Amino acid sequence: MPRALFFSGRIAGWGTTSGTRFVVGRWDESPFGAFADVMVEHPDGERVLLAPTDEVAELVASTYSFDRVETVPVRVDDAPGRTDSPVPVGGSGGAARSDPAPLSDVPRTGPAASGGVHRPATGRPSRTPPPWLVVAGPLEARLVVGPRTGLGRALRAVPERLASSRRFTAVTDPVARALLDGVRTRGSAGAGRVEHYGATDVHALRDAATSWDGVDLGGLAPVDPPVRFGFGSTPRRPAVTDVVTTIVLPAHDADA
């Protein structure tokens, strides 16, 4: 196994008015190929990982902390249609919505196989990226991605190779901790590993429709309190962050 594992993609983090918080990783490039995974923290504090394969589940669960791990098909696609309002969520709980059609019945673009990740036609997101459709075990969500944030514009001014480098995270980590509650760009992960987050762009999440086991979890809300999967949280303000994540393994893992 190589000493450093690289993951390039986007991370969506959001909360719901019912108190459940989510972090979805949509990875275009990784040691496992393209995949997506979901980290969930329920209002009672239970932390759940939804992973598409046992191999991904093993790595993620040994790097972060969870109370429960489930291997289920995880799919993230670009959803067609309007970018300014979410698809209604059906289910027995939450507020009534005008169209109770479940998200799984909504047409979507992207690969047909479960666990697929749709790759956009261009390498960098457009000014207003298309909505995300997330289907993973009990989770169904449609995320409306908004415009680039001020932080995103600042990150775009930094050369991507520099912004995603491990050395640069030493510079950005104290800044992130001072400006973004709970956010870290480097730190100690599980099993003696060191993790680096090199962010290259940020878009706000404008709206979200989220259900769990068919129950509507309510509207979009801040990620508050911060999630407790690892050494840092996702930003409090719901957002999609372009990121290169590097996991540096200890020598005994790399030699295994």
Side-chain angles (χ1 to χ4, degrees):
M1 182 181 293
R3 180 73 192 277
L5 306 178
F6 299 93
F7 300 77
S8 177
R10 282 143 287 161
I11 296 175
W14 77 99
T16 64
T17 53
S18 64
T20 306
R21 288 94 71 209
F22 295 90
V23 178
V24 173
R26 183 178 184 176
W27 306 107
D28 298 323
E29 298 180 28
S30 83
F32 309 104
F35 76 95
D37 63 335
V38 178
M39 303 180 189
V40 185
E41 185 163 351
H42 292 291
D44 62 3
E46 183 188 30
R47 297 162 297 180
V48 181
L49 170 65
L50 305 177
T53 66
D54 291 340
E55 188 178 26
V56 170
E58 181 179 2
L59 175 69
V60 177
S62 63
T63 304
Y64 300 92
S65 298
F66 299 97
D67 303 299
R68 179 159 51 94
V69 177
E70 296 185 18
T71 302
V72 296
V74 179
R75 178 172 183 138
V76 180
D77 292 306
D78 286 342
R82 296 174 58 186
T83 62
D84 59 349
S85 61
V87 171
V89 175
S92 58
R97 298 179 185 258
S98 58
D99 179 1
L103 291 176
S104 55
D105 292 341
V106 178
R108 52 184 181 261
T109 61
S114 296
V117 178
H118 174 68
R119 296 180 180 178
T122 57
R124 301 294 292 252
S126 63
R127 185 174 297 274
T128 304
W132 287 24
L133 182 63
V134 182
V135 179
L139 171 65
E140 292 188 355
R142 189 175 191 270
L143 312 177
V144 179
V145 185
R148 181 171 289 117
T149 67
L151 176 58
R153 290 191 292 272
L155 290 171
R156 292 272 292 185
V158 179
E160 187 168 352
R161 179 173 294 184
L162 174 62
S164 60
S165 70
R166 281 182 268 172
R167 289 183 178 179
F168 196 62
T169 64
V171 177
T172 58
D173 187 58
V175 177
R177 282 189 286 176
L179 299 180
L180 301 169
D181 184 31
V183 175
R184 299 282 305 275
T185 61
R186 66 183 293 174
S188 297
R193 300 165 183 173
V194 178
E195 192 162 17
H196 304 258
Y197 292 102
T200 59
D201 203 352
V202 182
H203 284 75
L205 276 179
R206 180 182 296 166
D207 207 345
T210 313
S211 71
W212 187 268
D213 278 333
V215 177
D216 185 349
L217 297 183
L220 184 68
V223 182
D224 185 26
V227 290
R228 303 172 298 115
F229 307 122
F231 61 83
S233 178
T234 189
R236 182 179 186 276
R237 179 185 180 186
V240 173
T241 303
D242 285 37
V243 65
V244 175
T245 298
T246 305
I247 300 175
V248 181
L249 306 177
H252 60 81
D253 274 7
D255 296 338

